[in-house]
Amino acid sequence: MAFPQSNLLLFRAALVSALLFILLLATTQMHYPGADSLNDKVSHILAFYALAMLEDFSFPRVEFGLSKVLTLMAYGLLIEATQYFLPYRSFSLYDLGADAAGVLMYALSIPALKQVPFLRRRWSV
């Protein structure tokens, strides 16, 4: 069964929303209780796992590989570079490492995700 076009639009809207929301969280001075309660590196890992999944599901005709990974890492670097210029934030290579860990965890979880019935259609494209 093919991946419906409506699903692509939904995943792409979710991806854009997640990218904007994460950028907001990464650049604001405000503190958010849910985000602040997690360890910073765990937050990075979870955020980039979710971004990797959303990116992969948004563009199912492209295998999850170097192009998708580099796009996500460039986004992570953009966030860190932006934070370098904010007086209330700082640049961190550890954050980039946590971002990469989240992307790697998604890549490693793909075989298990292929076994989930409602997710399986993503790989039937």
Side-chain angles (χ1 to χ4, degrees):
M1 183 180 296
F3 204 59
Q5 184 68 21
S6 61
N7 285 5
L8 287 179
L9 295 175
L10 179 67
F11 281 116
R12 288 176 183 173
L15 176 61
V16 169
S17 297
L19 289 167
L20 292 173
F21 184 68
I22 290 168
L23 184 62
L24 172 70
L25 287 176
T27 58
T28 187
Q29 255 184 306
M30 295 176 59
H31 294 283
Y32 294 91
D36 288 344
S37 66
L38 287 175
N39 175 288
D40 179 54
K41 301 310 174 255
V42 172
S43 296
H44 279 264
I45 290 169
L46 292 175
F48 275 77
Y49 183 96
L51 288 174
M53 179 180 257
L54 288 171
E55 180 186 36
D56 197 27
F57 277 63
S58 293
F59 303 97
R61 296 194 192 288
V62 179
E63 183 178 329
F64 191 79
L66 192 58
S67 64
K68 289 182 179 179
V69 170
L70 289 178
T71 301
L72 291 168
M73 295 314 301
Y75 175 72
L77 184 59
L78 171 75
I79 287 174
E80 294 304 317
T82 301
Q83 288 180 341
Y84 176 80
F85 294 102
L86 298 175
Y88 48 89
R89 296 288 184 166
S90 61
F91 179 94
S92 171
L93 288 177
Y94 292 116
D95 287 350
L96 279 176
D99 299 345
V103 173
L104 177 62
M105 287 174 65
Y106 173 72
L108 294 174
S109 71
I110 290 174
L113 294 174
K114 287 181 179 180
Q115 304 307 311
V116 178
F118 66 92
L119 298 178
R120 190 177 299 148
R121 291 195 308 182
R122 178 267 174 258
W123 289 278
S124 66
V125 176

